[in-house]
């Protein structure tokens, strides 16, 4: 299987990733604006966490290619494979074998096409999956950890905090404070 360019018009999930990053960016900006309007003096640690989150979101938005139709078929196939096996232990070597490339070539092409390393992409997809699981108040955080494909709770907490700026418990509490309709709507998914 070669890593050829896909024909124009074939769908990729760059638009989905861009929309999710844009929503996350706007959520952080809204939180900061609300604090500013309420004349709250936010602790320096909170401001730094928000700024790190904003910088990460800006980086992720800048990685979305302007023409996603030129994504190589092997990267498209790899994304589909990752989505289908998200909760299983995955390595770049396993995915490279699936798409018919050596691991080094796969990593290089994946990074060039997505702007993220395989590990960064996988972690981000798992965090997004965990967020949807956390919308359901009946799911415990530890259940969401393993259901999202993480192998240990500390790794999950560290990755979640790095990507969202808050712990999974704080994330769930912020959803509950924003309104029960949002949490219930997510639970129906």
């Amino acid at each position: 299987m070669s890593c050829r360019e896909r024909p124009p018009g074939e769908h990729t999930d760059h638009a989905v990733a861009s929309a999710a990053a844009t929503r996350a960016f706007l959520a952080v900006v809204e939180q900061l604006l609300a604090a500013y309007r309420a004349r709250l003096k936010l602790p320096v640690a909170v401001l730094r966490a928000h700024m790190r989150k904003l910088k990460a979101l800006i980086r992720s938005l800048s990685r979305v290619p302007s023409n996603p139709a030129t994504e190589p078929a092997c990267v498209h196939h790899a994304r589909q494979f990752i989505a289908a096996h998200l909760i299983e232990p995955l390595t770049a070597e396993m995915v490279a074998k699936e798409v018919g490339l050596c691991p080094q070539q796969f990593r290089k092409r994946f990074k060039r096409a997505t702007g993220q390393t395989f590990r960064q992409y996988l972690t981000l997809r798992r965090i997004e999956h965990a967020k949807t699981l956390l919308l359901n108040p009946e799911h415990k955080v530890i259940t969401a950890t393993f259901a999202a494909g993480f192998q240990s709770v500390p790794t999950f907490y560290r990755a979640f905090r790095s990507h969202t700026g808050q712990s999974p418990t704080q994330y769930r509490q912020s959803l509950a404070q924003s309104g029960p309709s949002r949490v219930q709507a997510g639970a129906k998914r």
Side-chain angles (χ1 to χ4, degrees):
M1 184 182 313
S2 67
C3 192
R4 61 176 175 75
E5 299 296 310
R6 290 187 312 124
E10 246 183 86
H11 176 70
T12 63
D13 60 357
H14 287 297
V16 174
S18 177
T22 303
R23 283 192 303 274
F25 180 80
L26 291 175
V28 172
V29 170
E30 287 174 10
Q31 289 172 352
L32 289 172
L33 281 174
Y36 175 76
R37 287 185 186 128
R39 305 269 189 241
L40 295 178
K41 297 245 181 198
L42 295 175
V44 173
V46 172
L47 288 173
R48 285 183 183 151
H50 282 309
M51 295 315 279
R52 279 194 307 271
K53 187 175 179 182
L54 286 172
K55 287 177 184 176
L57 289 168
I58 289 169
R59 278 194 307 269
S60 69
L61 284 171
S62 68
R63 290 182 192 133
V64 176
S66 58
N67 186 6
T70 61
E71 180 179 87
C74 61
V75 174
H76 179 71
H77 182 66
R79 286 174 183 260
Q80 289 178 329
F81 183 79
I82 291 167
H85 301 277
L86 189 62
I87 63 171
E88 300 170 13
L90 285 176
T91 64
E93 289 75 17
M94 292 168 60
V95 180
K97 185 177 179 181
E98 174 67 25
V99 299
L101 293 171
C102 70
Q104 182 180 5
Q105 192 68 4
F106 167 70
R107 284 186 184 98
K108 182 178 177 182
R109 290 183 187 195
F110 193 86
K111 170 89 177 193
R112 188 180 328 131
T114 65
Q116 298 174 314
T117 65
F118 168 76
R119 184 60 48 198
Q120 289 170 334
Y121 178 82
L122 181 63
T123 301
L124 185 61
R125 298 300 298 193
R126 286 178 172 168
I127 293 292
E128 291 302 319
H129 183 59
K131 283 177 162 181
T132 61
L133 294 172
L134 290 172
L135 289 173
N136 185 347
E138 295 176 7
H139 271 101
K140 294 182 178 180
V141 174
I142 194 163
T143 307
T145 299
F146 297 109
F150 287 90
Q151 301 301 312
S152 75
V153 176
T155 301
F156 172 66
Y157 268 80
R158 195 170 26 256
F160 196 93
R161 185 178 294 278
S162 171
H163 284 283
T164 64
Q166 51 191 190
S167 73
T169 306
Q170 291 169 334
Y171 175 78
R172 177 176 273 167
Q173 289 170 349
S174 71
L175 290 176
Q177 290 172 355
S178 68
S181 60
R182 184 173 174 187
V183 175
Q184 290 171 351
K188 292 178 185 176
R189 288 183 190 170

